[in-house]
Amino acid sequence: MKLFPTKELNFRLFNDQAETLDRLNRRTERSDNLTSQFTDKSFRGQINGNEFKLISSTIGRGAFCVMSGQINSVDGSVKVEIHKVFQILLTIILLLPLIGFLIMAINQTDKFSPIMIFGAIGQILMIRYVFIGLVFRFLSRESLNRLQDVLDLDWIKN
């Protein structure tokens, strides 16, 4: 079981590699730090040859997912994962039910019940699979749709 979700997709290009890379370069603002800022471009990030590491330029939501991949002559691949900064923050949020359980177990030993263990585990699972999972699914789909529009590509079903 992975702590944080990822997506790996393959795509086929409609145009040649040079034209696709040119379109990506025109629509990407160069940035060594993958942070959100106001820009008229579609993406912020780094492009090195045929490899890229990008975030969407949408303020407030774009930096959550990092897209990294490569563009080959007729196809390519992209991997979408949660930004490292958000992984740290989400790990802290995931640990809050455990910390609360431990504090309750230490302070109220006479009211301790083993069912509280299941409550803490249930809260952790809800945070991971419902909240983080749904947010990642929505925001990654939004970023991948933007990438599809910019690069003019077609997703390959695995």
Side-chain angles (χ1 to χ4, degrees), residues 65-115:
C65 294
V66 176
M67 297 179 291
S68 56
Q70 61 182 6
I71 300 171
N72 301 324
S73 58
V74 293
D75 62 352
S77 63
V78 63
K79 180 178 181 180
V80 184
E81 55 191 356
I82 297 176
H83 198 289
K84 299 291 184 207
V85 173
F86 287 103
Q87 286 183 5
I88 293 168
L89 293 173
L90 292 172
T91 301
I92 293 169
I93 291 172
L94 280 170
L95 291 176
L96 288 178
L98 184 62
I99 293 169
F101 167 74
L102 292 174
I103 290 172
M104 285 179 55
I106 291 170
N107 288 340
Q108 300 176 353
T109 55
D110 56 334
K111 296 181 183 177
F112 178 76
S113 171
I115 295 182

Side-chain angles (χ1 to χ4, degrees), residues 19-127:
E19 184 177 338
T20 303
L21 286 171
D22 183 51
R23 288 179 71 162
L24 185 61
N25 280 318
R26 282 186 282 130
R27 300 287 299 268
T28 301
E29 181 178 312
R30 301 286 180 176
S31 171
D32 290 333
N33 301 329
L34 298 176
T35 57
S36 291
Q37 284 186 344
F38 289 107
T39 181
D40 58 343
K41 309 259 182 171
S42 297
F43 299 108
R44 293 199 61 189
Q46 306 158 354
I47 302 171
N48 299 321
N50 66 339
E51 296 181 354
F52 60 88
K53 188 169 188 177
L54 307 169
I55 62 168
S56 176
S57 64
T58 307
I59 297 296
R61 300 182 302 199
F64 189 78
C65 294
V66 176
M67 297 179 291
S68 56
Q70 61 182 6
I71 300 171
N72 301 324
S73 58
V74 293
D75 62 352
S77 63
V78 63
K79 180 178 181 180
V80 184
E81 55 191 356
I82 297 176
H83 198 289
K84 299 291 184 207
V85 173
F86 287 103
Q87 286 183 5
I88 293 168
L89 293 173
L90 292 172
T91 301
I92 293 169
I93 291 172
L94 280 170
L95 291 176
L96 288 178
L98 184 62
I99 293 169
F101 167 74
L102 292 174
I103 290 172
M104 285 179 55
I106 291 170
N107 288 340
Q108 300 176 353
T109 55
D110 56 334
K111 296 181 183 177
F112 178 76
S113 171
I115 295 182
M116 291 181 358
I117 296 171
F118 295 118
I121 292 171
Q123 289 174 355
I124 291 170
L125 291 175
M126 285 285 291
I127 292 169

Side-chain angles (χ1 to χ4, degrees), residues 3-5 64 82 90-91 93-94 124 126-138:
L3 187 58
F4 297 107
F64 189 78
I82 297 176
L90 292 172
T91 301
I93 291 172
L94 280 170
I124 291 170
M126 285 285 291
I127 292 169
R128 164 52 181 95
Y129 288 104
V130 175
F131 299 121
I132 296 174
L134 288 176
V135 167
F136 177 76
R137 179 176 287 167
F138 173 73

